[in-house]
Amino acid sequence: MKLLSKTLCLCLALALTNAAPTHHEHGDAVKDGGLFLTDRCDGIEFDAIAPDEKGQAFFFKGDHLWKGFRGPAELSNETFKELDDFHHLGHVDAAFRMHNEENPHDHDHIYFLLDNKVFSYYNHTLEDGYPKEIQDDFPGVPSHLDAAVECPKGECGANSVLFFQGHNVHTFDITTKTVKTKTWSHLPNCTSAFRWLEHYYCFHGHNFTKFHPVSGVVEGVYPKDARNYFMSCAGFGHGGGYKVPKCSEVHVDAITSDDAGKTYAFIGSIYMRLDSHRDGFHAFPITRGWKEVTDGVDAVFSHTDKLYMIKGDQVYIYKSAVHYTLIEGYPKSLKEELGLEGSVDAAFACPGTDVVHVIQGKNMIDINLSTTPRTVGQGIPLPLSNITAGLCGPGGIRVFQGSDYYTYDSPLLLAASRIAPVPLKITSGMMGCQD
């Protein structure tokens, strides 16, 4: 797995700076000097939102769309020209990206629903045989839908698609082609729905509400204004005016990769998911994913199906699942859980092993996690000091020190080294910082 193979955007909301052509509700436009003008910051109610096979999100309104979280509006038929060839109402009812790994023929295709028709695109090209009647592909699902969103197995009971019509939600099982209908009267009428970073959002007006895809439960204070999260607008913004730092200012406090391949970097009070490049890379408060941990972390490592967070003299252990859950009885003291005293600067565990390598100052201490009480080894002097984070993966080990990092092939070579290798600099290609 490539650890940091894509540009990482540290912004909590990406900038949209250009005024752009747009239409308002159902294609009704505001005309100025012969041009159709709009700005997402005016508070648009989107008709549909869906990512393509590369993870680029499309926001649809009338006969226009926006590509990604920034950029000007453009005509939908410039990218999906057949939508106009077969349909002239000027807007998409619903859209979603299919998740069906068991059938590569339609996996990652983007589906559009317009009145009673369904269109299937891959690489922005309409598939042969489309458009079709909605019921040809999704028997039992009604026409004239309001919104749709994919729900992979593990987040739903099976690979599914949620179709919204008013307060009714039709859950379509892709494998069995059966439909179960629920009424979620507590949710607003969703004009579009979006799965992003394993969370589900119902968009209504210029607001959104996050919900659980199986129960429909809403946790937290909603609705929230989309302009604070899915675009950047004057007078709006999430994260207290957060700015992308210079690469020389980046300080990684912890970094880890779990058994599912989810890789996280922790910097101050925020974390970033590094592996989900198809959904983009964004920074969030640590409390969003691990609500019990506040004010940053000292070290994080993964072992089996658990994620260990160390803050001060406390250890928090979370059960890995779709979302992390604190194991009952935690946090526990560092002494009780790992047999250590003092503070921890960094920690990492290599996949398939039961040993966590803990760094305290210039010493690395190996702890066997398969024994209770823990078997704690002697401290081994390291060639480096001030290490703040470490990660072990198929490509070896990376240890971070300020805005520099060092690579080693194995923990043994790190422990045996007496001279530090040439430091490497964190770059914009790694973490989206400013060079």
Side-chain angles (χ1 to χ4, degrees):
M1 179 187 69
K2 294 183 179 179
L3 169 62
L4 299 169
S5 60
K6 299 286 182 180
T7 300
L8 173 63
C9 175
L10 302 184
C11 300
L12 291 172
L14 299 175
L16 173 66
T17 58
N18 298 321
T22 190
H23 282 197
H24 290 272
E25 184 70 17
H26 297 299
D28 295 332
V30 175
K31 197 171 185 179
D32 181 9
L35 296 175
F36 292 106
L37 299 176
T38 194
D39 189 332
R40 279 192 278 193
C41 296
D42 290 339
I44 292 174
E45 182 173 82
F46 297 110
D47 296 326
I49 306 172
D52 66 6
E53 69 279 359
K54 297 178 182 178
Q56 183 179 43
F58 290 85
F59 294 77
F60 294 86
K61 181 62 181 179
D63 56 4
H64 282 74
L65 63 78
W66 291 261
K67 295 178 179 178
F69 297 111
R70 74 167 91 197
E74 56 188 73
L75 288 168
S76 302
N77 61 12
E78 292 178 358
T79 302
F80 305 101
K81 63 184 182 66
E82 296 86 357
L83 295 180
D84 243 14
D85 292 343
F86 290 95
H87 196 87
H88 303 283
L89 291 185
H91 72 278
V92 175
D93 291 335
F96 65 94
R97 182 179 65 193
M98 175 67 79
H99 183 92
N100 186 11
E101 294 177 336
E102 297 174 359
N103 184 0
H105 176 71
D106 60 8
H107 179 63
D108 273 351
H109 289 216
I110 182 170
Y111 282 74
F112 297 102
L113 302 125
L114 294 81
D115 285 348
N116 62 342
K117 299 293 184 183
V118 58
F119 297 71
S120 174
Y121 280 84
Y122 187 77
N123 196 25
H124 304 170
T125 301
L126 185 67
E127 290 291 292
D128 291 340
Y130 286 88
K132 296 180 179 179
E133 297 290 321
I134 290 177
Q135 287 74 25
D136 288 344
D137 272 356
F138 307 106
V141 173
S143 303
H144 303 283
L145 294 157
D146 296 324
V149 65
E150 73 277 11
C151 188
K153 183 179 180 180
E155 297 172 29
C156 282
N159 287 328
S160 307
V161 181
L162 308 184
F163 295 96
F164 295 79
Q165 190 179 61
H167 289 296
N168 290 331
V169 181
H170 308 276
T171 301
F172 182 84
D173 187 309
I174 295 171
T175 301
T176 64
K177 295 188 179 299
T178 56
V179 178
K180 294 182 179 179
T181 301
K182 305 173 184 177
T183 300
W184 290 345
S185 56
H186 61 283
L187 271 185
N189 287 340
C190 307
T191 61
S192 57
F194 188 35
R195 175 182 176 265
W196 187 56
L197 296 174
E198 299 177 344
H199 292 279
Y200 292 79
Y201 301 92
C202 162
F203 284 74
H204 44 97
H206 56 76
N207 296 319
F208 69 89
T209 296
K210 187 171 74 171
F211 65 94
H212 192 283
V214 176
S215 65
V217 169
V218 176
E219 293 183 354
V221 180
Y222 289 93
K224 294 180 180 179
D225 196 313
R227 290 170 290 186
N228 285 324
Y229 295 83
F230 293 93
M231 61 205 79
S232 180
C233 303
F236 296 88
H238 178 60
Y242 180 81
K243 302 294 184 183
V244 177
K246 294 181 179 179
C247 294
S248 59
E249 298 172 346
V250 172
H251 181 103
V252 179
D253 295 324
I255 189 168
T256 192
S257 183
D258 67 13
D259 288 349
K262 299 177 183 178
T263 303
Y264 302 93
F266 299 84
I267 301 173
S269 62
I270 67 169
Y271 78 93
M272 291 155 285
R273 176 86 177 267
L274 306 185
D275 62 286
S276 55
H277 61 273
R278 283 163 32 109
D279 289 325
F281 298 100
H282 304 268
F284 297 97
I286 292 175
T287 50
R288 180 181 186 268
W290 301 273
K291 63 182 180 181
E292 295 85 3
V293 180
T294 59
D295 300 323
V297 296
D298 296 329
V300 179
F301 67 91
S302 300
H303 177 249
T304 60
D305 61 347
K306 301 179 183 66
L307 186 143
Y308 293 67
M309 288 185 154
I310 301 173
K311 177 66 177 177
D313 63 352
Q314 298 291 298
V315 180
Y316 300 76
I317 302 182
Y318 288 85
K319 182 75 173 178
S320 298
V322 175
H323 305 295
Y324 289 95
T325 304
L326 185 66
I327 293 176
E328 186 177 355
Y330 286 86
K332 293 183 179 180
S333 70
L334 190 64
K335 177 68 175 178
E336 182 181 5
E337 182 61 36
L338 295 179
L340 284 180
E341 294 181 347
S343 61
V344 173
D345 297 313
F348 61 90
C350 296
T353 70
D354 292 321
V355 175
V356 58
H357 308 276
V358 175
I359 296 174
Q360 292 182 311
K362 283 195 69 172
N363 289 325
M364 183 170 74
I365 302 168
D366 292 349
I367 302 172
N368 191 331
L369 298 174
S370 66
T371 62
T372 302
R374 307 302 191 197
T375 303
V376 181
Q378 295 294 319
I380 303 171
L382 297 176
L384 298 170
S385 59
N386 300 320
I387 294 174
T388 60
L391 178 71
C392 182
I397 295 171
R398 292 187 183 189
V399 290
F400 291 79
Q401 182 191 71
S403 60
D404 297 334
Y405 68 97
Y406 301 81
T407 62
Y408 294 87
D409 288 338
S410 68
L412 179 62
L413 290 177
L414 170 61
S417 297
R418 292 296 172 261
I419 300 176
V422 176
L424 302 172
K425 296 290 184 182
I426 292 174
T427 65
S428 59
M430 292 173 62
M431 295 195 176
C433 45
Q434 300 181 59
D435 289 327

